[in-house]
Amino acid sequence: MLLGSKIATLNELKQALGTSVDVTVFRKLKPLDYLSSYSHRGRYYTLREIARFDESGLWSHATVRFSQFGTLLATAESLVNRSPRGFFADELARAVHVDVQDALHQLAQQRRVTRQVVSGLYLYTAIDRSIRQGQLLTRRNVEAVPTVADASVLEVSEEALKASILLFYSLLDEQQRRLYAGLESLKLGRGGDRSLAVFLELDPHTVARGRQQLLAQDVEVDRARKTGGGRRRVEKKRPK
């Protein structure tokens, strides 16, 4: 059944096997290397051979989500410990598409991950000290230059990049500055207005206005050329 439908609930599997006993279903599933979903309270099942996991070890069918690590707890633990810069709870929730607050709290209590306050929020990091230090360093670099998704791939120093961005920003007019800040805030997601406001020394409301203008496509575009502007036309001399 699973090879055709890819996923199924326990009741659907019992119906397909013609049994009303849960143990019978799990006895059949065990040698097939099955997985239960980490979403939908683990109600769905699939076979490992069916899942096509992405680079993070996740796979979904419709809205049902599975992990090569098994449960949500194991998945969160693995992703946090392998992450190059740790996870805030909302970042991990976006990655796995389910709420992770309880799972992260439980992992921290069990000392399977660590956490520390960064920018006023709990950052969940690896239990291994050397990995954790690298995560915190990368996170600080990202916080210093919020337009960078992963500071570890930079070919220049964070200071040089920051100076280049600020130079570029200084060349923009008022509307362009607002829209640029709004665009970068959109890319950052939650907390983006605040991060860009600090980085560019703007009022957060200005960043929010730029973001809202972009979303509403409410932008003033001056298509008029100034008189005498542009390259002067050069007429060819006629041969005498």
Side-chain angles (χ1 to χ4, degrees), residues 13-240:
L13 290 171
K14 286 194 292 187
Q15 185 176 359
L17 292 172
T19 181
S20 59
V21 182
D22 294 359
V23 175
T24 301
V25 176
F26 291 116
R27 187 184 301 122
K28 295 285 186 180
L29 287 175
K30 187 174 181 179
L32 299 178
D33 195 10
Y34 74 94
L35 291 168
S36 58
S37 63
Y38 69 76
S39 67
H40 297 77
R41 298 185 178 182
R43 289 180 54 243
Y44 288 86
Y45 299 86
T46 191
L47 302 181
R48 192 175 291 273
E49 66 179 278
I50 292 175
R52 296 294 179 263
F53 297 113
D54 62 19
E55 58 191 23
S56 297
L58 308 178
W59 175 70
S60 65
H61 182 72
T63 61
V64 184
R65 302 188 178 277
F66 295 85
S67 164
Q68 68 180 30
F69 311 107
T71 65
L72 177 59
L73 208 65
T75 300
E77 177 184 17
S78 179
L79 292 182
V80 168
N81 279 287
R82 294 188 305 146
S83 169
R85 55 180 179 142
F87 279 102
F88 289 120
D90 60 341
E91 291 176 336
L92 185 58
R94 287 196 298 270
V96 300
H97 300 278
V98 297
D99 182 76
V100 294
Q101 288 283 3
D102 290 343
L104 288 172
H105 182 69
Q106 188 174 342
L107 288 171
Q109 282 190 323
Q110 296 174 2
R111 298 184 180 179
R112 293 162 65 181
V113 301
T114 60
R115 69 180 186 179
Q116 37 264 308
V117 176
V118 175
S119 300
L121 299 171
Y122 277 126
L123 178 70
Y124 292 85
T125 50
I127 200 70
D128 182 273
R129 183 179 179 183
S130 61
I131 296 175
R132 180 168 69 250
Q133 289 176 335
Q135 290 173 326
L136 290 171
L137 177 61
T138 301
R139 177 64 66 167
R140 281 196 292 269
N141 291 339
V142 171
E143 292 291 313
V145 188
T147 59
V148 178
D150 186 356
S152 66
V153 302
L154 291 178
E155 296 181 356
V156 298
S157 68
E158 293 81 20
E159 292 77 12
L161 176 61
K162 181 176 180 180
S164 298
I165 293 172
L166 294 178
L167 174 60
F168 165 75
Y169 178 75
S170 71
L171 301 176
L172 304 177
D173 62 31
E174 182 179 348
Q175 176 181 244
Q176 290 168 340
R177 291 183 183 189
R178 186 169 62 248
L179 295 177
Y180 170 72
L183 176 62
E184 294 299 336
S185 176
L186 281 171
K187 290 158 60 177
L188 288 176
R190 183 179 177 183
D193 290 356
R194 175 183 55 81
S195 297
L196 266 297
V198 172
F199 180 58
L200 299 174
E201 297 184 356
L202 289 172
D203 188 306
H205 293 94
T206 300
V207 182
R209 183 183 169 197
R211 174 171 50 79
Q212 291 160 1
Q213 279 186 270
L214 288 172
L215 291 173
Q217 298 186 13
D218 178 20
V219 179
E220 296 178 8
V221 180
D222 182 11
R223 299 181 181 276
R225 297 177 68 101
K226 294 182 180 179
T227 304
R231 180 178 297 178
R232 181 175 298 175
R233 181 178 178 182
V234 178
E235 296 186 0
K236 295 182 178 179
K237 294 183 178 180
R238 293 182 182 179
K240 294 182 179 179

